[in-house]
């Protein structure tokens, strides 16, 4: 069974149709790259999956459970949205770390708040918090930031901040981790360290959706690629096929622009 | 002579500080309510609140003091409010409008990505407010709030138009007795109060220097 | 509810600001709250909100029910000032105490902002203005005034070393003046067509001259007598030209029955010798009007 099944999703902002009839599936452990020019709807798609936007049409099904169905108001209750969000993690283009917390606190804040809802929290408070702490630490170590846990975001480089943000998203153990152009806000010399971390995650079979402009990276890391153009999925398929032998004319033109180094950053 | 003048002026200073303290006590929370009103999704409410803020900020505080105190008696023949109460009410209304604009700037100044990051991590809206955005708002509003606090200390002198005997009134009474220096001496008291305020606010700002 | 109250308050604020603006800048002031009278027609009757209700209600009864007579005044020696114990004394203060006793009520002195005196009276912040108040058109229009009880005049105050050159009205031209806003002194300067800096109190006007900010000021003769010349707070100042002679009165709310009550009280007190006795205590016996 597919871990994620998106069916006929649509989204408009006023009269503008941003997403049109988006349908795709993902398997457990797969990495999916979404490419396309700015304004093609890639980011909106990720935001819909994370319930930051509400789709006007369509369904989102995770592990067979219908999280969202535009035709069924029962699935849209505000109170349940919070829990549904936890199936997804999101790494933002601009990191969005909490400036007043250290790297470790950024990673452990949400797990600590969530743990308070556990029935055994009062009885095992110390134990639980210690566990969250050590998990947060090991998460930072995985990101190569073991020695930075006490640093505040403004004391870290952009690449380090983004790696903290990845650790923060992973700490919630999402089924699917989403990246929204994770290296676009970084200086070129800092993108490598972030891409390396994402590559490692892919090797460990983390289920991921990556919206990216790094074509070489997408080809190397992704199992599947979706090319979006003007709110629709123009082409989708195995990475090597879409990237190396695109069937669609517009995919070819898009990739050619990148090859010439003229694509947008 | 210096001692007796100082004691008299301290009496006035007590009134000044009482007005200052009560204004902050009520205007700080009321300002937050007004700022929510001015950011409300309900357009008529937003419009009403913004008009009120416009009128209150656009007219002289001294006039407002006189309206609140004399208005009920002159226009409706109602019994007059207590002078000090009228002063506090006017200051609370006036300053909460100023505070509301500062709150609004502080709230809207926190990038929306902060809230989204919190929500995506499964926090509730109130958790996001208290654990993520609140401190960032406070950091943003402390400097402009500090300016308002210092202005407030000096604005209290206006209530002497309705014969609330604060420190400037006390200083002025000496002129009627032919003594001019006490009027200038009151500056020392204002400076002392604002000096303490400046130190406190500086300390608070420094406390939040650890993040950007 | 709160919002309604607020908008109401704000509406009032705008009305009052208009009324206040209409009232300043000429010698024929109306009281605030009455913006129907056009400036210049100072003989037309006042149509204050308070008029209507007082027609059917006795001010005397109101004072008696309340049990206190609130006297609006300023610190203005020798009429009203505080002794070492903080007790209000002076010719006016002592007589006000006697009047309250005559009415059978307590007296309460309230220092007011003099420029708001008529508003305080109308709004019932105070019950009487009793503070060496010169009877002029402003108070006659905005209040009911007692029979005069004291003589006074407006005099020009000037540094003593320049006094010799300015002994006539004609010589005043070219001097810069200060005067209390809305006072009888300001009115005299208006009549002479001399411009002046408006101050909040007569004392402030004096201070202008003492500080050299203005060449001269116009204040009450009674006050000048008490506050300037050698042996006083302003030894370097003196007074020269007396511009007019005028009378002091006590002001009550328009149409108040306390006016008659006061006139009767004063006549009795004068006949009994109390008035002259008190006047002598404060050195103003020369000015008291014979009854």
């Amino acid at each position: 069974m597919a871990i994620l099944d998106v069916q006929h999703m649509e989204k408009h902002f006023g009269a503008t149709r941003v997403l049109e009839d988006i349908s795709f599936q993902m398997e457990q452990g797969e990495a999916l790259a979404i490419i396309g020019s700015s304004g093609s709807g890639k980011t909106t798609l990720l935001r819909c999956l994370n319930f930051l936007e509400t789709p006007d049409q369509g369904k989102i099904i995770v592990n067979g459970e219908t999280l969202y169905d535009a035709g069924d108001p029962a699935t849209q209750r505000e109170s349940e949205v919070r829990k549904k969000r936890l199936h997804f993690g999101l790494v933002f283009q601009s990191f969005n770390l909490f400036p007043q917390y250290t790297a470790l606190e950024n990673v452990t804040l949400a797990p600590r708040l969530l743990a308070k809802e556990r029935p055994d929290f009062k009885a095992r408070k110390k134990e639980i918090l210690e566990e969250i702490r050590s998990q947060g630490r090991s998460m930072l170590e995985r990101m190569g930031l073991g020695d930075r846990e006490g640093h505040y975001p403004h004391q870290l480089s952009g690449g380090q901040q983004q790696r903290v943000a990845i650790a923060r998203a992973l700490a919630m153990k999402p089924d699917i981790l989403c990246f929204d152009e994770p290296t676009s806000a970084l200086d070129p010399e800092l993108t490598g360290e972030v891409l390396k971390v994402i590559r490692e995650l892919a090797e460990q079979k983390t289920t991921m959706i990556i919206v990216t402009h790094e074509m070489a990276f997408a080809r190397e890391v992704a199992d599947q690629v979706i090319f979006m153009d003007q709110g629709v999925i123009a082409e989708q398929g195995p990475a090597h096929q879409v990237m190396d032998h695109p069937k669609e004319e517009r995919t070819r033109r898009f990739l050619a622009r990148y090859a010439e180094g003229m694509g947008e950053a | 002579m210096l001692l007796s003048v100082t004691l008299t002026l301290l009496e006035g200073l007590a009134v000044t500080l009482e007005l200052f303290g009560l204004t902050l006590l009520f205007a700080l929370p009321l300002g937050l309510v007004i700022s929510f009103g001015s950011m409300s999704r309900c357009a008529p409410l937003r419009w009403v609140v913004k008009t009120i803020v416009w009128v209150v900020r656009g007219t002289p505080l001294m006039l407002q003091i006189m309206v609140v105190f004399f208005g009920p008696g002159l226009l409706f023949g109602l019994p007059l409010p207590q002078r000090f109460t009228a002063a506090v009410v006017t200051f609370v209304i006036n300053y909460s409008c100023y505070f509301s604009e500062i709150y609004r700037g502080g709230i809207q100044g926190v990038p929306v990505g902060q809230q989204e990051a919190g929500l995506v991590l499964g926090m509730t809206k109130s958790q996001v407010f208290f654990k993520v955005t609140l401190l960032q708002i406070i950091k943003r509003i402390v400097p402009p709030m500090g300016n308002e606090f210092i202005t407030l200390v000096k604005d209290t002198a206006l209530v002497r138009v309705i014969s609330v005997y604060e420190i400037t009134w006390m200083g002025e009474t000496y002129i009627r007795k032919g003594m001019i220096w006490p009027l200038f001496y009151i500056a020392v008291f204002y400076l002392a109060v604002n000096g303490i305020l400046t130190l406190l606010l500086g300390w608070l700002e420094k406390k939040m220097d650890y993040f950007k | 509810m709160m919002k309604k109250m607020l908008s109401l308050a704000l509406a009032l604020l705008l009305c009052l600001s208009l009324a206040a603006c209409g009232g300043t800048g000429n010698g024929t002031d109306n009281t605030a709250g009455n913006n129907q009278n056009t400036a210049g027609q100072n003989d037309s009757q006042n149509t204050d909100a308070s008029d209507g209700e007082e027609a059917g209600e006795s001010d005397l009864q109101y004072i008696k029910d309340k049990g206190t007579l609130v006297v609006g005044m300023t610190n203005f020696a020798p009429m009203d000032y505080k002794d070492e114990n903080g007790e209000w004394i002076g010719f006016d203060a002592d007589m006000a105490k006697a009047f309250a006793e005559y009415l059978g009520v307590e007296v309460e002195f309230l220092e007011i902002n003099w420029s708001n005196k008529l508003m305080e009276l109308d709004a019932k912040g105070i019950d009487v203005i009793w503070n060496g108040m010169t009877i002029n058109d402003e108070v006659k229009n905005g209040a009911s005034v007692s029979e005069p009880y004291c003589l006074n005049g407006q005099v020009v105050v000037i540094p003593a070393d320049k006094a010799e050159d300015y002994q006539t009205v004609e010589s005043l031209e070219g001097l810069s003046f200060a005067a209390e806003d809305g006072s009888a002194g300001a009115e005299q300067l208006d009549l002479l067509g001399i411009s002046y800096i408006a101050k909040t109190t007569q004392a402030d006007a004096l201070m202008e001259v003492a500080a050299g900010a203005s060449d001269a000021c116009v204040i009450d003769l009674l006050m000048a007598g008490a506050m300037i010349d050698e042996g006083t707070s302003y030894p370097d100042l003196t007074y020269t030209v007396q511009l007019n002679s005028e009378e002091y009165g006590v002001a009550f709310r328009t149409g108040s029955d306390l006016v008659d009550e006061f006139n009767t009280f004063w006549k009795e007190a004068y006949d009994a010798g109390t008035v002259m006795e008190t006047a002598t205590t404060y050195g103003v016996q020369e000015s008291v009007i014979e009854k």
Side-chain angles (χ1 to χ4, degrees):
Chain A
M1 185 178 57
I3 189 166
L4 174 64
D5 186 1
V6 175
Q7 298 178 358
H8 310 295
M9 189 192 280
E10 290 196 19
K11 175 72 189 171
H12 334 196
F13 291 127
T16 325
R17 185 158 294 194
V18 190
L19 293 178
E20 211 176 330
D21 197 23
I22 303 289
S23 298
F24 66 92
Q25 291 190 342
M26 279 183 80
E27 297 301 324
Q28 172 83 42
E30 230 178 33
L32 166 70
I34 303 181
I35 58 173
S37 46
S38 301
S40 59
K42 313 179 299 275
T43 295
T44 308
L45 174 55
L46 278 198
R47 291 173 62 85
C48 283
L49 293 178
N50 283 275
F51 297 89
L52 291 175
E53 307 285 354
T54 314
D56 297 309
Q57 291 296 328
K59 288 183 186 176
I60 301 170
I61 301 162
V62 173
N63 278 330
E65 181 193 350
T66 305
L67 295 189
Y68 181 87
D69 181 349
D72 180 5
T75 63
Q76 296 166 27
R77 258 182 252 129
E78 185 72 30
S79 54
E80 283 168 40
V81 164
R82 189 166 73 96
K83 292 239 168 70
K84 292 174 181 172
R85 277 197 172 111
L86 293 174
H87 289 285
F88 294 90
L90 179 58
V91 175
F92 297 85
Q93 181 179 347
S94 51
F95 330 139
N96 292 347
L97 290 183
F98 307 134
Q100 71 270 41
Y101 294 123
T102 62
L104 182 60
E105 287 165 345
N106 262 280
V107 175
T108 57
L109 177 66
R112 276 194 334 244
L113 292 173
L114 197 63
K116 279 187 190 162
E117 291 168 31
R118 283 168 57 166
D120 59 343
F121 181 72
K122 271 201 178 134
R124 300 178 46 230
K125 186 173 174 184
K126 238 183 158 170
E127 208 179 320
I128 291 174
L129 289 181
E130 191 42 53
E131 198 180 298
I132 290 171
R133 225 177 135 73
S134 73
Q135 276 173 359
R137 276 213 182 88
S138 70
M139 215 63 85
L140 283 175
E141 267 156 30
R142 259 173 88 184
M143 296 296 127
L145 293 168
D147 55 341
R148 293 281 189 273
E149 64 166 64
H151 286 56
Y152 288 94
H154 76 274
Q155 297 167 320
L156 299 171
S157 73
Q160 290 169 332
Q161 287 188 52
Q162 191 60 302
R163 283 185 284 153
V164 174
I166 295 170
R168 182 175 70 173
L170 281 173
M172 299 307 289
K173 305 190 180 73
D175 294 327
I176 301 150
L177 183 57
C178 304
F179 293 87
D180 184 10
E181 303 188 21
T183 57
S184 292
L186 294 174
D187 292 337
E189 72 268 23
L190 297 177
T191 58
E193 58 188 80
V194 173
L195 295 180
K196 176 167 164 277
V197 164
I198 301 175
R199 193 177 293 124
E200 283 166 10
L201 289 174
E203 281 159 11
Q204 292 153 12
K205 294 293 171 198
T206 311
T207 314
M208 297 188 290
I209 302 177
I210 312 162
V211 166
T212 184
H213 287 298
E214 301 272 348
M215 295 305 143
F217 177 72
R219 180 189 287 111
E220 171 200 352
V221 169
D223 302 301
Q224 278 201 78
V225 168
I226 285 178
F227 169 64
M228 285 186 68
D229 188 37
Q230 293 173 8
V232 299
I233 295 180
E235 186 164 355
Q236 63 179 314
H240 56 87
Q241 183 203 310
V242 176
M243 307 289 289
D244 299 334
H245 310 287
K247 290 182 194 141
E248 298 286 328
E249 177 56 29
R250 33 185 179 172
T251 319
R252 263 198 291 275
R253 257 187 284 138
F254 173 78
L255 290 170
R257 271 209 322 250
Y258 265 93
E260 287 163 24
M262 282 167 58
E264 318 108 290
Chain B
M1 189 47 118
L2 180 65
L3 183 70
S4 91
V5 170
T6 306
L7 288 175
T8 309
L9 291 183
L10 280 175
E11 254 173 63
L13 184 66
V15 176
T16 297
L17 290 180
E18 202 180 337
L19 179 58
F20 172 76
L22 287 172
T23 302
L24 287 191
L25 184 67
F26 294 113
L28 284 172
L30 184 59
L32 196 59
V33 173
I34 295 175
S35 78
F36 288 145
S38 70
M39 290 184 289
S40 162
R41 252 176 259 160
C42 163
L45 175 66
R46 198 171 59 226
W47 210 84
V48 168
V49 171
K50 285 195 167 182
T51 309
I52 292 172
V53 171
W54 169 67
V55 173
V56 171
R57 295 205 311 168
T59 53
L61 178 53
M62 187 156 95
L63 209 58
Q64 295 169 12
I65 296 168
M66 290 170 74
V67 168
V68 170
F69 179 67
F70 292 116
L74 284 180
L75 290 143
F76 307 113
L78 298 170
L80 289 194
Q82 291 283 316
R83 285 163 199 272
F84 186 73
T85 311
V88 172
V89 167
T90 318
F91 269 72
V92 167
I93 293 172
N94 185 277
Y95 269 83
S96 54
C97 284
Y98 279 95
F99 290 166
S100 78
E101 287 297 284
I102 293 176
Y103 285 133
R104 193 162 68 93
I107 291 168
Q108 290 177 341
V110 176
V112 71
Q114 289 291 310
Q115 194 188 347
E116 289 181 351
L119 290 176
V120 164
L121 289 167
M123 295 185 203
T124 62
K125 278 187 177 163
S126 80
Q127 284 173 337
V128 169
F129 181 76
F130 287 108
K131 299 288 179 181
V132 176
T133 44
L134 182 61
L135 196 62
Q136 298 182 50
I137 293 169
I138 292 175
K139 185 182 168 76
R140 277 179 171 78
I141 65 175
V142 164
M145 276 291 181
N147 282 336
E148 290 298 326
F149 288 7
I150 284 167
T151 309
L152 171 58
V153 171
K154 295 175 291 178
D155 273 356
T156 55
L158 291 172
V159 299
R160 66 192 196 285
V161 297
I162 55 166
S163 304
V164 172
Y165 309 142
E166 46 66 63
I167 186 167
T168 301
W169 173 289
M170 293 299 201
E172 280 180 345
T173 56
Y174 283 100
I175 299 183
R176 281 161 223 156
K177 295 176 196 159
M179 280 165 67
I180 302 175
W181 64 267
L183 184 63
F184 298 102
Y185 181 39
I186 63 172
V188 174
F189 294 82
Y190 282 110
L191 282 173
V193 171
N194 276 334
I196 294 167
L197 267 181
T198 307
L199 288 177
L200 274 174
L201 290 161
W203 172 80
L204 199 59
E205 269 183 59
K206 210 161 176 198
K207 277 287 263 190
M208 287 185 292
D209 249 4
Y210 72 90
F211 71 90
K212 290 211 164 73
Chain C
M1 188 59 201
M2 187 63 200
K3 253 173 250 143
K4 269 189 192 162
M5 294 286 286
L6 258 178
S7 15
L8 196 65
L10 295 167
L12 298 185
L13 193 129
L14 283 176
C15 297
L16 206 92
S17 66
L18 290 174
C21 291
T24 52
N26 58 52
T28 58
D29 283 26
N30 304 315
T31 45
N34 169 20
N35 51 3
Q36 291 168 350
N37 285 359
T38 355
Q41 296 179 311
N42 57 7
D43 53 342
S44 72
Q45 261 312 299
N46 219 314
T47 50
D48 268 335
S50 49
D51 283 1
E53 69 194 346
E54 266 155 33
E57 196 185 301
S58 156
D59 210 21
L60 176 62
Q61 200 52 48
Y62 164 71
I63 304 292
K64 286 194 166 164
D65 289 347
K66 192 169 58 136
T68 50
L69 178 74
V70 183
V71 179
M73 28 70 86
T74 65
N75 196 325
F76 179 44
M79 311 309 271
D80 290 306
Y81 60 102
K82 278 182 179 168
D83 67 8
E84 312 83 72
N85 306 319
E87 188 78 17
W88 285 103
I89 55 166
F91 178 54
D92 280 350
D94 284 8
M95 290 312 295
K97 287 178 204 164
F99 181 50
E101 202 180 321
Y102 172 83
L103 295 176
V105 296
E106 298 285 310
V107 69
E108 188 188 320
F109 292 102
L110 189 74
E111 263 189 284
I112 56 164
N113 196 299
W114 192 244
S115 32
N116 294 340
K117 57 184 179 295
L118 291 174
M119 217 193 291
E120 291 272 4
L121 194 61
D122 274 342
K124 297 195 171 172
I126 57 176
D127 300 317
V128 51
I129 307 167
W130 195 337
N131 187 221
M133 184 195 70
T134 302
I135 302 172
N136 60 9
D137 285 346
E138 183 201 0
V139 294
K140 274 193 282 186
N141 282 327
S144 286
V145 187
S146 69
E147 285 171 16
Y149 67 93
C150 239
L151 283 173
N152 184 37
Q154 296 299 317
V155 292
V156 174
V157 174
I158 202 159
D161 53 353
K162 289 201 245 166
E164 237 173 85
D165 303 334
Y166 300 101
Q167 294 290 346
T168 62
V169 174
E170 292 72 37
S171 64
L172 301 176
E173 212 169 309
L175 289 179
S176 63
F177 270 90
E180 180 188 336
D181 194 24
S183 69
E187 200 177 309
Q188 286 305 312
L189 286 170
D190 282 335
L191 286 175
L192 289 172
I194 296 174
S195 63
Y196 55 91
I197 306 284
K199 306 298 291 182
T200 346
T201 63
Q202 298 203 66
D204 284 344
L206 258 187
M207 194 172 85
E208 281 271 317
V209 183
S214 295
D215 296 329
C217 67
V218 177
I219 63 170
D220 284 2
L221 174 62
L222 262 161
M223 189 180 193
M227 282 185 70
I228 65 175
D229 256 338
E230 280 167 55
T232 65
S233 322
Y234 295 100
D236 300 331
L237 301 181
T238 190
Y239 58 94
T240 58
V241 192
Q242 177 164 352
L243 298 173
N244 71 338
S245 47
E246 52 193 33
E247 294 160 331
Y248 279 171
V250 178
F252 299 91
R253 273 181 280 280
T254 309
S256 171
D257 48 1
L258 277 169
V259 181
D260 291 340
E261 202 71 18
F262 172 85
N263 289 336
T264 316
F265 154 77
W266 192 268
K267 182 81 173 73
E268 281 176 21
Y270 189 86
D271 292 344
T274 327
V275 170
M276 287 315 285
E277 204 178 295
T278 313
T280 314
T281 312
Y282 297 103
V284 297
Q285 65 279 11
E286 310 271 308
S287 311
V288 173
I289 294 172
E290 219 174 298
K291 292 287 167 185

